[in-house]
Every structure is written in C-alpha cells, then in structure tokens.
Amino acid sequence: MYAQMRGPKFSRRRRNPAPAIVAAIIVLILGCWVFNLTCGKRGKEVSTSAITEYVNRVRPIIDTSTSVGLSWNAVRSSLPQLVANPDGLNQQLTGIEQSCLDLLEQAKGIAAPESLSDAHVALLICLEQRYRGSKTYRTDLVNSLNAVDLD
C-alpha cells in the first residue's frame, strides 16, 4: 500500500518561471547597455572630438581641484598649530578660497558639448559648493578665533 501512494522517485515537478524571467531581463539590460541597441538616442551621432576637447580642457581644472583638496587636508591636519597664528591661518585659508573661486570661474568659461551638459552642470555645482564651503569655513573659523582670547 505504501508503494502505491508514493510517486516515482524522479517525477517531474513544476518549476517557478521567475528566475528565468529575471535572467532574461538582466541579459536584455546588459545587451542594451553593452551594444547600445535600443537604449541610445536614435539618429544622433556623438562627436568624439568635441568630447575629447572638453575632457582635455576640464582635466587641468580637476587636477588643480585635487591639489586644492590636498592642501585643504594639510591645513585641517595642522589646525592646532595654525590656531596659535590666526593671521597665518587666515592667509592659508584665503589662498584656498581664492583657488576655489579661480577654478569655478575657469569651469564657467568652458562650453560643454550637448551630450555632456549634465556632467558639466554637476561639475559647476561641485566647484561652487567647494568655494562656498571654504569661504564659510574661513570666515567662521577666523571670527571664532578673534572672539576667543587665546592668551
């Protein structure tokens, strides 16, 4: 009786189709991304020379921005020593602030290709926020040091 109730050992079971559907969607998305079959702008060719020219004009600004960030970290790490000399601290922070403003003005002067307009706007936002942050930090720190008697 027990043998009749049990089915064959290797019976066919129903499988869930969800993994196959998910795998097909992933393959479709990867194919679309890699081969740009249906996801790109149709009929518009992107000029690689304009993009290369833009990258060549923006790269020095990015490199200078990186060096400004490194000098900012150097000032921040030596802040306890610089607090003893508020004028020197103000001078270094003013130099960083001026560098940030110069970078922002240089970036505003660059015309971006249409395909990179969003990236250029993001670059301008980042540089402007860096300038505003350095300006606010310098004024707040110098004002607080002037208000506190360190002697």
Side-chain angles (χ1 to χ4, degrees), residues 14 19 24-25 31 50-52 55 57 61 66 72 82 85 87 92-93 97 103 115 122 129 135-136 143 147:
R14 278 191 100 117
I25 290 173
I51 293 173
T52 304
V55 168
R57 293 183 71 195
I61 294 173
T66 302
W72 174 261
L82 292 172
N85 183 10
D87 292 331
Q92 285 186 353
L93 291 176
E97 179 185 336
L103 289 174
S115 61
Q129 290 300 317
K135 180 179 178 182
T136 303
N143 287 341

Side-chain angles (χ1 to χ4, degrees), residues 23-43:
I25 290 173
I26 290 173
V27 168
L28 180 66
I29 290 172
L30 286 175
C32 183
W33 178 63
V34 170
F35 299 111
N36 199 16
L37 295 177
T38 60
C39 297
K41 298 178 182 176
R42 294 179 187 229

